[in-house]
Amino acid sequence: MIAEATRILVSLDVGVEPSTVVDEHLERMSALTRGFEDEGSAEARAFAALERIEFIHDVEDLDPVLHVEILQRATALDERLRDAPQAGVRRAAAEAALTAQMIRRWLSQDEASIAVALESLALRLNGESDDRLRAIRLDALVRSSRLRVENGLDRDGVRGILLRVLHDVDHVRGAAGLGLAASLLLVDLDLAERLDPSDSLARARSMVTAPDAADHDAWRVRLAVRHLEGILARLDDTQRVDAEVEEWRRLLDAYSTARDPLARLTVLSDLLHAAGSAPQMSAKMLAVLTYADSLYRQDLDPRSEISRFAVAARISAVLGHPDDPQSRAPESPRRDPNEAVRFSVETEARFGALWGRRDTVSSMAALLLERALRLSDLGRREEALSTLTALSERVRASGFDEAREERAQATYWTARLRLEAGQIQKGRDAIRAGLQEFGSDPDGRVRLWAANGLWSAWRSGRFEAADARQLREEFATWFGEDPDPAIRRLDASRRLSDAIATHEAGRTEDAILLFREIDERFGAIDDDDIADTVRLARENTRILTTTTTTGSPGSALYRSLHNRLYAADDLAGKGQLAEAETHWASIIDATAQSDDVDLAMLRLAALDAWAGHAQDAGRWEQVADLSGQATVLHPGADTRAERVQARAYFRLGVALTRLGNPGGAIAAYEALDALGSGSHDHDVRVARQQAAYNRAVAIDDLGDSHAAIAAYDHVVVVHNESVDTPTGRLRIAKALRNQAVLFTSLGRPAEAAAAHRRVLDLAAGGLEPELLARVKDSAFELAAAFSALGEHSSAAATYEWIRATPQLALSPAESRDLTRREKSAKRGRSR
């Protein structure tokens, strides 16, 4: 009893109290238990002393000096107790000996001598019948083998040792993990000796699951998953994908009947981690998730419910996640927002009880939020709004306040959808409701959504200047001094908008003060978005200061040329182009050799304006000459200059195309692509989008089908790096339809169908007539492609989608054609 109490005291005080206090505990124990030599007392004393050493496994960043001290204590304890007659005491000695070699490894001592010491420990424990001593023996052998394999030491006999470990672990309780480690080391040994690792890999894979899996607890499940991860890490990419799918299905089968609900919870949680996020998940892993969802529906235990729900929610998210062509790969799953909505509704019905749990109400709210966004994508705005309302009502009804961020998001999206529908007053009401409930929330993540409501509203272009100014004033009142980093980004942007609006109102001096205030307030903050805002504020300060300063010769020249530029613009607007060109030419000549940044900007402005009017007049050689000059920037060029350069590259590409030089045009577009890839400026990014499309068409016109297919893919990538716009969606649709034509001409109907399917995805939330006309054409062509491929069920489903999408506005003739085609597809399906 005394020794056991001392062990507890040592475990509490070691690493916390001075070492003298711990020593006193042990000395007192020795004095009080002297003369008691029964097995229980001896073992209790040994493990009390062991606590003085073993605490090291739970401490991070321990001083190396203490490592050395504990190493000495461990070695001394082992030497003192290793030959004791009691098995329990010898167990404490063996634990100390193993820890000593682990510390030596942490101290980067000689690997070869550590391996020898571990093997000596294992040899010493031969013949022990105690399960823990036998496990320590196997552990020492595995550790020594790892040292030899990983450090290129003498490997003679290692294979035999590992095979012996594999044989023995089946007879030692608690040693399963050592067998898994040994099987992976055999693979590494094959690789180190340049042998075919197939047999070793097969052996390791056979150990992923065990016959007694139904009796495993959560720790044993986690061990199996880590073993699988180790196997996958040793396979090449091709092998890895199929092995991952096969082994995960085996794991799911093995643990579906596990008696411990935490084991079932763990295998599903680890599967979710392995499968990846919605945008990253492969089609094969989505199939594994779907299999898991079906297999574990028989599990009704509340303790595993959260993992089963998480699997179903992830399936819904993957099905509904918008495709990202930049990261899309052939193995990506087919997205289906309609199916995502249906599955989300089913999931909520299956797991409705989770609304009543504090730890899951946020997850349920997130499920409805995701569903609302997918409904919006499908153009079902009123259903989306109803879902957002239901989200808030159900959270309130739960009585829990854990889902405030999801409720704040629901309010934000309600306002945004109202504004997009032209319901301005209802949108304003939703914004104000968000401010009242969430604008002062202590959690910055929650406040951000209320701030976003105001920020996105004034930037939406749906408000007149006075209303937009009022929205910015409300933002200043609520969030002008907010410490949250994300909200500070919005505030910096708000202040920049105020300064620009002030300048446009003719109050230049006030605008300069506002631009300078942005620099003073945010100039020292290390944040990329804020840094962009500060840079724009500084550029505007310099521009406005230069144009309003008087006195210096440089400023006088600038004002003279600046006035001449305005005069040229005025003349061009009146149709007096010859006179305007005289002004532009004089500005270009006067600034050609200048090192002044602002004069160089005037030169670019003159080149830009002249090239634009020349383009309108179709004078392509002149456009090419002027644009070529405008692509060369002064070393101190700012964002305004980059915008001119971007337009110049684009005009140069157009001009060279008209002049019969497609190679030169492609080169110009590629230069703009490179310029825009690193820019955050909206105008430059838009020019890059246009250039990417023109480049793809130019390559297509040259007859290089394979290069054109890749170029059209790049169009989609470039557009998806920026904010979604109606013009951008239309350009993507045109690129994908051109790509589908190329696939068809190359005899690749499945890929043509995939391109048409991507066009259909663009219909989600899009109501632009030009886009919908192309979506409609692609829908019919996709169904025809499915029929040609013999996929009559998919063809019929596509025709059903066309019929269920009223915004396609079928004509009577198209409706009759749809009915005829649909019947044909259904007949093909029934054969």
Side-chain angles (χ1 to χ4, degrees):
M1 183 71 73
I2 293 171
E4 180 59 27
T6 301
R7 187 188 66 78
I8 296 172
L9 273 175
V10 171
S11 69
L12 292 172
D13 289 346
V14 68
V16 178
E17 297 290 344
S19 59
T20 54
V21 173
V22 179
D23 290 338
E24 287 172 4
H25 294 327
L26 294 173
E27 289 167 4
R28 187 184 309 112
M29 175 192 70
S30 297
L32 293 173
T33 61
R34 189 172 294 116
F36 293 91
E37 299 303 328
D38 61 281
E39 184 171 351
S41 297
E43 183 176 325
R45 284 196 299 267
F47 276 94
L50 184 64
E51 287 288 350
R52 187 78 169 81
I53 297 162
E54 293 295 283
F55 85 98
I56 196 172
H57 296 291
D58 299 320
V59 179
E60 296 182 2
D61 301 323
L62 197 66
D63 189 325
V65 173
L66 290 175
H67 270 134
V68 173
E69 177 188 328
I70 296 166
L71 171 59
Q72 293 169 346
R73 290 179 181 276
T75 303
L77 185 66
D78 175 39
E79 291 174 350
R80 180 163 60 87
L81 302 179
R82 67 169 63 177
D83 295 322
Q86 302 92 350
V89 177
R90 294 197 303 276
R91 189 188 319 140
E95 298 278 11
L98 185 63
T99 295
Q101 300 312 314
M102 294 168 69
I103 295 173
R104 292 185 64 199
R105 186 82 174 87
W106 299 337
L107 291 171
S108 301
Q109 294 187 7
D110 179 61
E111 288 93 351
S113 68
I114 298 172
V116 170
L118 288 165
E119 288 154 6
S120 297
L121 172 62
L123 182 62
R124 178 178 112 201
L125 299 178
N126 262 338
E128 291 281 5
S129 59
D130 178 85
D131 267 343
R132 178 56 193 159
L133 284 170
R134 296 169 73 193
I136 292 173
R137 170 181 166 271
L138 296 176
D139 195 351
L141 290 173
V142 169
R143 290 178 186 276
S144 69
S145 298
R146 178 176 289 113
L147 282 169
R148 294 189 181 281
V149 172
E150 293 181 352
N151 294 283
L153 304 177
D154 179 10
R155 293 191 289 266
D156 286 347
V158 170
R159 188 178 302 278
I161 289 173
L162 292 172
L163 290 171
R164 186 65 191 175
V165 169
L166 285 175
H167 174 271
D168 290 352
V169 291
D170 291 336
H171 310 289
V172 178
R173 189 171 54 215
L178 297 172
L180 299 177
S183 71
L184 292 177
L185 279 171
L186 281 166
V187 177
D188 293 336
L189 184 60
D190 285 343
L191 294 172
E193 296 181 347
R194 305 194 178 192
L195 301 174
D196 182 359
S198 300
D199 289 343
S200 295
L201 280 166
R203 182 190 296 109
R205 288 183 64 178
S206 71
M207 298 174 66
V208 171
T209 54
D212 61 343
D215 297 321
H216 288 180
D217 59 11
W219 175 85
R220 184 63 179 82
V221 174
R222 187 64 47 78
L223 204 62
V225 172
R226 284 203 299 268
H227 180 57
L228 173 56
E229 291 169 350
I231 293 170
L232 297 176
R234 289 161 172 81
L235 297 174
D236 62 36
D237 291 343
T238 304
Q239 294 173 310
R240 185 182 303 118
V241 173
D242 291 336
E244 184 174 31
V245 170
E246 181 181 342
E247 297 303 337
W248 267 112
R249 288 177 70 99
R250 286 177 58 204
L251 278 173
L252 291 166
D253 287 337
Y255 291 117
S256 63
T257 56
R259 281 179 272 279
D260 184 350
L262 297 183
R264 302 194 299 272
L265 177 151
T266 300
V267 73
L268 293 177
S269 298
D270 286 355
L271 170 62
L272 280 172
H273 177 75
S277 63
Q280 298 169 332
M281 194 176 300
S282 69
K284 289 187 175 181
M285 286 308 289
L286 174 60
V288 174
L289 276 189
T290 304
Y291 178 74
D293 178 66
S294 174
L295 184 63
Y296 282 70
R297 289 195 183 209
Q298 62 187 327
D299 184 358
L300 302 178
D301 195 302
R303 288 169 291 181
S304 64
E305 190 172 26
I306 183 61
S307 285
R308 289 183 282 113
F309 165 76
V311 168
R314 184 74 58 83
I315 292 170
S316 177
V318 173
L319 290 171
H321 194 278
D323 267 327
D324 180 2
Q326 184 176 7
S327 59
R328 183 178 175 84
E331 65 270 14
S332 295
R334 177 177 171 181
R335 311 297 185 176
D336 188 339
N338 279 297
E339 176 61 14
V341 169
R342 186 203 67 76
F343 198 82
S344 173
V345 172
E346 177 192 296
T347 299
E348 185 190 8
R350 285 169 55 197
F351 296 98
L354 296 184
W355 281 114
R357 284 175 51 176
R358 182 181 297 277
D359 61 333
T360 54
V361 65
S362 293
S363 299
M364 292 296 286
L367 178 74
L368 265 67
L369 184 65
E370 177 81 16
R371 186 196 309 164
L373 297 180
R374 298 294 77 78
L375 287 165
S376 175
D377 291 344
L378 291 166
R380 295 156 63 179
R381 184 178 288 115
E382 290 305 316
E383 291 177 74
L385 288 166
S386 296
T387 302
L388 293 171
T389 300
L391 183 162
S392 295
E393 290 174 349
R394 288 170 192 170
V395 171
R396 287 194 185 96
S398 74
F400 302 124
D401 204 30
E402 271 68 19
R404 286 187 67 77
E405 185 175 358
E406 288 77 15
R407 284 180 52 218
Q409 290 185 63
T411 305
Y412 165 81
W413 285 107
T414 297
R416 181 162 169 173
L417 294 179
R418 293 292 189 196
L419 292 177
E420 288 177 358
Q423 301 169 8
I424 304 301
Q425 188 54 51
K426 288 184 177 180
R428 286 297 301 269
D429 291 344
I431 291 171
R432 290 200 174 98
L435 288 170
Q436 291 300 322
E437 186 161 10
F438 306 110
S440 300
D441 196 277
D443 189 335
R445 295 171 300 178
V446 175
R447 293 196 308 278
L448 177 61
W449 288 102
N452 257 323
L454 286 168
W455 187 81
S456 62
W458 85 63
R459 290 170 58 89
S460 68
R462 299 177 185 277
F463 291 90
E464 298 295 331
D467 291 330
R469 183 176 63 253
Q470 184 180 355
L471 290 168
R472 292 198 299 274
E473 289 172 355
E474 286 186 68
F475 189 100
T477 300
W478 281 92
F479 306 108
E481 302 298 329
D482 198 291
D484 183 79
I487 295 177
R488 293 179 78 180
R489 293 184 199 120
L490 303 184
D491 187 46
S493 170
R494 186 267 306 176
R495 291 171 185 272
L496 185 68
S497 297
D498 277 345
I500 291 170
T502 301
H503 172 57
E504 290 173 348
R507 294 158 48 210
T508 303
E509 294 295 339
D510 292 339
I512 291 172
L513 292 175
L514 292 173
F515 285 127
R516 284 176 172 163
E517 185 181 344
I518 293 170
D519 191 2
E520 293 168 1
R521 178 179 282 261
F522 301 103
I525 295 177
D526 184 15
D527 179 279
D528 288 344
D529 289 336
I530 288 179
D532 279 343
T533 302
V534 170
R535 178 173 50 80
L536 290 171
R538 288 171 179 168
E539 289 175 6
N540 279 284
T541 300
R542 193 181 72 249
I543 295 163
L544 296 181
T545 303
T546 303
T547 57
T548 56
T549 301
T550 60
S552 71
S555 296
L557 175 60
Y558 181 92
R559 289 197 305 278
S560 171
L561 296 177
H562 189 269
N563 291 337
R564 188 171 296 181
L565 185 62
Y566 272 114
D569 289 343
D570 185 54
L571 289 167
K574 296 176 181 178
Q576 299 172 326
L577 287 178
E579 293 87 342
E581 288 175 357
T582 300
H583 284 304
W584 288 323
S586 67
I587 295 169
I588 293 167
D589 290 342
T591 56
Q593 304 302 319
S594 176
D595 291 329
D596 184 90
V597 173
D598 298 305
L599 293 178
M601 188 63 229
L602 289 180
R603 180 174 186 274
L604 282 176
L607 287 166
D608 186 39
W610 194 353
H613 286 285
Q615 182 176 12
D616 292 341
R619 300 199 300 268
W620 299 113
E621 289 186 0
Q622 188 178 42
V623 173
D625 175 56
L626 293 168
S627 298
Q629 293 182 63
T631 61
V632 181
L633 299 189
H634 185 280
D638 58 20
T639 302
R640 297 168 303 148
E642 288 182 358
R643 291 171 184 165
V644 173
Q645 185 185 33
R647 285 195 294 272
Y649 275 127
F650 184 77
R651 286 191 182 121
L652 180 60
V654 172
L656 292 174
T657 298
R658 295 299 185 101
L659 293 170
N661 182 1
I666 291 170
Y669 293 136
E670 289 175 346
L672 174 50
D673 186 55
L675 171 69
S677 65
S679 175
H680 297 288
D681 184 76
H682 172 75
D683 292 351
V684 175
R685 291 167 78 94
V686 168
R688 183 192 182 209
Q689 293 172 0
Q690 296 170 324
Y693 180 79
N694 282 15
R695 169 182 173 267
V697 171
I699 293 172
D700 197 350
D701 288 344
L702 289 173
D704 189 343
S705 298
H706 293 90
I709 287 170
Y712 285 125
D713 263 335
H714 185 62
V715 173
V716 181
V717 168
V718 168
H719 279 75
N720 279 279
E721 289 176 355
S722 301
V723 177
D724 180 41
T725 64
T727 303
R729 285 196 296 273
L730 177 60
R731 200 177 288 120
I732 293 173
K734 290 161 69 175
L736 291 171
R737 285 184 53 75
N738 288 349
Q739 193 182 62
V741 170
L742 291 171
F743 280 131
T744 301
S745 69
L746 292 171
R748 294 157 63 178
E751 288 162 290
H756 285 307
R757 179 67 182 81
R758 291 166 71 184
V759 175
L760 266 61
D761 291 339
L762 296 171
L767 302 175
E768 303 82 22
E770 283 189 276
L771 173 63
L772 291 176
R774 288 169 171 81
V775 169
K776 179 165 60 177
D777 290 342
S778 273
F780 277 102
E781 290 166 29
L782 173 62
F786 280 141
S787 295
L789 290 166
E791 297 181 20
H792 300 292
S793 294
S794 296
T798 304
Y799 289 129
E800 290 171 3
W801 180 85
I802 296 172
R803 190 178 298 283
T805 309
Q807 58 262 44
L808 295 182
L810 300 181
S811 67
E814 287 170 334
S815 295
R816 290 192 295 272
D817 185 37
L818 173 63
T819 300
R820 178 182 59 78
R821 290 172 180 246
E822 194 171 9
K823 287 179 180 178
S824 177
K826 289 178 179 177
R827 284 196 298 272
R829 181 173 61 184
S830 63
R831 290 194 187 104

